[in-house]
Amino acid sequence: EDQVTQSPEALRLQEGESSSLNCSYTVSGLRGLFWYRQDPGKGPEFLFTLYSAGEEKEKERLKATLTKKESFLHITAPKPEDSATYLCAVQAAGGRMNRDDKIIFGKGTRLHILP
Amino acid sequence: DTEVTQTPKHLVMGMTNKKSLKCEQHMGHRAMYWYKQKAKKPPELMFVYSYEKLSINESVPSRFSPECPNSSLLNLHLHALQPEDSALYLCASSTGLLNQPQHFGDGTRLSIL
């Protein structure tokens, strides 16, 4: 069964304390892995897409990496404004046609950065 | 500011009411989505429209009825909802091409009395 698991569920860090969020997946065929940030009462905001193992993407204090089993979102020297829920989503191949693909979201990691 | 606009932002309705949620995007995207999100849970896919045709219906109760009048608009018609239907309803769009990310609106917060 296709599955996406994020850890930890919640993480509290001091401002400037770097850390990593994990997204592990078990899918029949990976078409793409997406990271989103969601603030309370808002919709998810797209951050990165990763397609193949070894790929890395960076944006400001965030860096996303991908292996064949998991993805990491590294946060370097975070600031209080980085506090949010970070969601990982996987597009899993459902068949020969794109319309059979599935989008599976993980439950998210709630990140809180203390000033 | 998000490029996917949802209205209204908040909606309170009784179980016998009929209302509609609206979503609009002007990015030229050809796939549009409805999600339901409960507090501290991930979004749950409800419907997918691809090139204005319904391509995925994730076994959603018939009290939810989607409509895609054109490539920029997506509606969700609501009728005889239950209290457990209270949630944040998110609309998203994507180019429709393989592996492209979805862009979300800020949602409609729906409360059923």
Side-chain angles (χ1 to χ4, degrees):
Chain A
E1 182 186 345
D2 296 330
Q3 212 165 15
V4 177
T5 304
Q6 289 189 247
S7 62
E9 283 189 22
L11 182 61
R12 294 168 70 90
L13 300 171
Q14 290 293 135
E15 184 173 0
E17 181 184 0
S18 302
S19 188
S20 297
L21 313 182
N22 177 263
C23 171
S24 61
Y25 60 91
T26 306
V27 297
S28 51
L30 178 71
R31 296 215 198 270
L33 185 144
F34 310 96
W35 281 100
Y36 293 88
R37 168 197 171 124
Q38 187 172 23
D39 293 299
K42 299 285 188 180
E45 175 190 348
F46 169 69
L47 295 173
F48 303 110
T49 308
L50 300 166
Y51 295 114
S52 56
E55 192 173 359
E56 298 182 353
K57 295 271 180 74
E58 272 188 85
K59 180 181 177 181
E60 296 180 353
R61 295 178 292 282
L62 299 176
K63 180 179 176 180
T65 61
L66 181 66
T67 72
K68 289 187 177 180
K69 294 182 179 180
E70 59 192 348
S71 176
F72 290 95
L73 184 65
H74 306 279
I75 303 179
T76 302
K79 298 182 178 181
E81 54 262 41
D82 295 322
S83 298
T85 294
Y86 289 85
L87 294 165
C88 167
V90 166
Q91 181 173 344
R96 295 176 59 190
M97 304 297 292
N98 297 350
R99 64 169 178 262
D100 298 324
D101 285 3
K102 292 184 280 187
I103 301 289
I104 306 164
F105 275 86
K107 294 184 177 180
T109 293
R110 294 191 306 279
L111 178 65
H112 186 55
I113 308 299
L114 302 166
Chain B
D1 288 338
T2 180
E3 295 181 79
V4 177
T5 305
Q6 290 188 243
T7 55
K9 292 189 185 303
H10 302 276
L11 179 62
V12 179
M13 57 187 287
M15 288 190 285
T16 58
N17 292 157
K18 286 186 181 180
K19 295 285 185 183
S20 297
L21 309 185
K22 297 185 182 301
C23 175
E24 189 169 3
Q25 58 88 13
H26 293 289
M27 294 180 282
H29 287 175
R30 302 311 300 268
M32 296 186 78
Y33 311 77
W34 279 116
Y35 286 87
K36 172 183 177 180
Q37 188 176 28
K38 296 283 236 182
K40 298 187 178 181
K41 299 287 186 182
E44 298 173 36
L45 183 65
M46 299 174 71
F47 302 104
V48 180
Y49 273 84
S50 179
Y51 293 82
E52 293 113 74
K53 292 185 179 178
L54 183 64
S55 61
I56 294 177
N57 176 341
E58 292 285 1
S59 303
V60 179
S62 59
R63 56 186 184 268
F64 294 92
S65 175
E67 179 196 19
C68 189
N70 60 54
S71 60
S72 300
L73 294 174
L74 186 66
N75 298 321
L76 185 63
H77 303 297
L78 314 173
H79 174 54
L81 296 194
Q82 303 298 309
E84 61 265 27
D85 296 323
S86 297
L88 181 68
Y89 287 83
L90 293 163
C91 172
S93 70
S94 70
T95 62
L97 298 175
L98 187 63
N99 303 344
Q100 296 305 302
Q102 296 173 32
H103 296 266
F104 287 82
D106 282 338
T108 293
R109 174 72 59 190
L110 177 64
S111 298
I112 307 300
L113 301 177

